[in-house]
């Protein structure tokens, strides 16, 4: 986002006025459209409100904008040779459509991080830069500098990557498949989007863990699906709850993240896994298994996915490069029956004609390289170190105020706040104090829970971040 240059000889208000005038002339703010309030724009640009007042006064004097009491500040219609009736109501269009926007808390988190990159980030679900194998990938690219083809690839995904995934899935995940049953996507979210849009219909009922990362994705509601909850305890979901939901609501699909679940970090126990597969097969229900965190198991053998024990083809298996190597490559995959892969590949081709061949090629090379196993070892070691730093800081700063289960893998620690607290006030207090977290209500839980993501923050930031959060929490409790 543009911000005024404090080293410039031009006054800050003049820089702001010039930038707004340019954006208005480019059509970013069409005639008649509403501009940000003085207070909001000041917060976005990191200046005093009086500076924005001066900038708006300058534009009003030029006839570019106009203000009315109770109606805010708008771009002038007459100045630009247009009348309101000829100007599309872009605000109404932006609020329309069937694809819903992200939840308010998520938008607030992203807005805050964009405005202040110095915030200690316990909210973003991606790896820190020092956990990404940048040097190894640069080496692979330098060793394989030439590509022979830059056109569209197979709608299912780049062939060499799918071949590398066949070997990876067999070696690391105990899943035996062929490249014809693999679809390459831009990540887990695109896999879920394709499933909700192509395999389900508006009005269908689906079962989702409670809490679950899926609740932060409006794509389910955008698809017109009815969501029913599967409570998660320390051992995962209860398979009998699935049978009950099927009887009451005729659910058509189950979405589950059994290994180091997001956001709780829970690992489903083996008995429940067996019961879950048996229950699903008895009812003829497909299971969508999202498995981004299994290989981050810190000190134990990575837990096997449900798919590895699926002998009937009931499980659609989703994996991703993002949580174990590099989110910026935007590479994920799905293992599914061939008919499903063909259906979703056809839909993907309508959307974007497939992903870029360059990141697909690099991901395939990395999975097949001698760098992959050492990278996983380094990732696990660093995640364990960061987890322990987080636990130590929570015990020091908030021992009597929070409760949590210690995860054995993944990126997240799920924390219950003992005293009653308002999620919105706690988030704002945390941001003002220089740290940002993800309120649990984003993931469908009741107020009073927080997800701490320790993969993103730098190790040296974690104690300071929890100290700042503790201050914000105590101030909110006594608000």
């Amino acid at each position: 986002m543009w911000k005024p240059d404090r080293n410039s000889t031009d006054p800050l208000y003049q820089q702001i006025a010039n930038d707004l005038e340019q954006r208005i002339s480019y059509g970013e703010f069409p005639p008649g459209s509403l501009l940000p309030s003085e207070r909001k724009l000041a917060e976005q640009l990191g200046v005093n409100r009086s500076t924005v007042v001066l900038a708006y006064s300058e534009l009003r004097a030029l006839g570019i904008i106009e203000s009315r009491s109770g109606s805010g500040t708008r771009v002038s219609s007459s100045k630009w040779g247009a009348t309101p009736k000829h100007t599309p109501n872009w605000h109404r269009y932006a609020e329309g459509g069937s694809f819903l926007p992200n939840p308010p808390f998520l938008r607030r988190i992203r807005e805050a991080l964009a405005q202040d990159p110095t915030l200690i980030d316990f909210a973003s679900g991606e790896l820190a830069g020092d956990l990404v194998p940048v040097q190894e990938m640069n080496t692979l690219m330098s060793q394989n500098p030439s590509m022979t083809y830059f056109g569209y690839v197979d709608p299912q995904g780049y062939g060499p990557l799918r071949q590398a995934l066949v070997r990876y899935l067999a070696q690391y995940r105990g899943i035996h498949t062929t490249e014809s049953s693999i679809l390459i996507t831009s990540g887990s979210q695109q896999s879920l989007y394709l499933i909700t849009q192509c395999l389900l219909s508006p009005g269908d009922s689906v079962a989702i863990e409670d809490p679950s990362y899926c609740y932060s994705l409006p794509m389910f509601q955008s698809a017109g699906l009815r969501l029913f909850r599967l409570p998660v305890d320390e051992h995962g979901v209860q398979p009998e709850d699935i049978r009950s939901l099927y009887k009451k609501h005729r659910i058509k699909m189950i979405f589950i993240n059994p290994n180091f679940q997001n956001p709780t970090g829970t690992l489903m126990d083996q008995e429940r896994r067996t019961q879950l597969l048996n229950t699903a097969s008895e009812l003829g229900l497909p299971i969508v298994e999202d498995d981004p965190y299994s290989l981050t198991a810190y000190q134990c053998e990575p837990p096997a996915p449900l798919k590895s024990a699926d002998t009937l083809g009931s499980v659609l298996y989703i994996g991703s490069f993002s949580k174990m190597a590099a989110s910026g490559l935007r590479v994920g995959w799905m293992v599914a029956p061939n008919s499903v892969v063909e259906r979703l590949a056809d839909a993907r081709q309508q959307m974007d004609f497939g992903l870029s061949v360059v990141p697909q090629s690099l991901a395939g090379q990395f999975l097949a390289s001698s760098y992959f196993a050492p990278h996983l070892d380094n990732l696990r070691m660093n995640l364990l170190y960061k987890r322990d730093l987080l636990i130590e800081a929570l015990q020091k700063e908030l021992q009597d105020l929070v409760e949590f289960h210690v995860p054995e893998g993944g990126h997240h620690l799920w924390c219950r706040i003992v005293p009653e607290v308002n999620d919105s006030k706690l988030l704002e207090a945390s941001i003002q104090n220089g740290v940002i977290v993800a309120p649990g209500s984003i993931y469908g839980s009741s107020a009073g829970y927080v997800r701490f993501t320790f993969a993103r923050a730098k190790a040296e930031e974690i104690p300071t971040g929890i100290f700042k959060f503790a201050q914000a929490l105590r101030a909110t409790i006594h608000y």
Side-chain angles (χ1 to χ4, degrees), residues 135-147 362 365-366 369-371:
Q135 183 176 344
E136 292 89 336
M137 291 187 181
N138 282 332
T139 299
L140 288 171
M141 285 191 288
S142 67
Q143 291 174 347
N144 301 276
S146 62
M147 293 193 64
L362 181 56
Q365 292 176 49
F366 185 68
S369 74
S370 59
Y371 298 124

Side-chain angles (χ1 to χ4, degrees), residues 412-460:
H412 315 295
L413 186 144
W414 184 244
C415 194
R416 187 179 82 86
I417 299 170
V418 176
E420 186 175 334
V421 66
N422 180 285
D423 279 0
S424 181
K425 291 178 181 177
L426 178 57
L427 176 60
E428 291 302 324
S430 298
I431 292 171
Q432 292 301 315
N433 218 35
V435 62
I436 195 159
V437 298
S441 52
I442 292 175
Y443 310 104
S445 78
S446 56
Y449 287 84
V450 172
R451 189 194 76 173
F452 290 101
T453 299
F454 47 87
R456 179 63 176 168
K458 296 177 182 176
E460 60 270 22

Side-chain angles (χ1 to χ4, degrees), residues 62 69 149 181 190 222 268 339 365 370 376 402 442:
L62 295 172
S69 180
Y149 183 68
S181 293
Q190 188 179 60
S222 297
M268 181 181 280
S339 59
Q365 292 176 49
S370 59
L376 287 180
V402 298
I442 292 175

Side-chain angles (χ1 to χ4, degrees), residues 231-286:
V232 174
D233 62 21
E234 66 271 21
H235 302 297
V237 301
Q238 292 274 8
E240 277 305 309
D241 289 339
I242 295 170
R243 197 181 301 276
S244 176
L245 287 179
Y246 182 78
K247 289 179 180 178
K248 290 180 181 178
H249 305 290
R250 286 295 185 265
I251 57 172
K252 297 191 71 173
M253 194 171 281
I254 304 163
F255 290 81
I256 198 161
N257 172 199
N259 293 332
F260 311 127
Q261 194 249 11
N262 183 5
T264 66
T266 301
L267 179 63
M268 181 181 280
D269 70 23
Q270 187 56 51
E271 182 179 355
R272 291 194 186 181
R273 290 167 186 261
T274 302
Q275 292 174 358
L276 173 60
L277 287 171
N278 289 339
T279 300
S281 64
E282 287 174 20
L283 301 175
L285 286 174

Side-chain angles (χ1 to χ4, degrees), residues 89-102 193 197 218-219 221-224:
N89 188 335
W90 291 117
H91 181 70
R92 184 175 297 171
Y93 278 100
E95 288 186 337
S98 61
F99 199 79
L100 299 174
N102 277 311
Y193 177 78
Q197 290 292 322
M219 68 175 71
Q221 290 89 342
S222 297

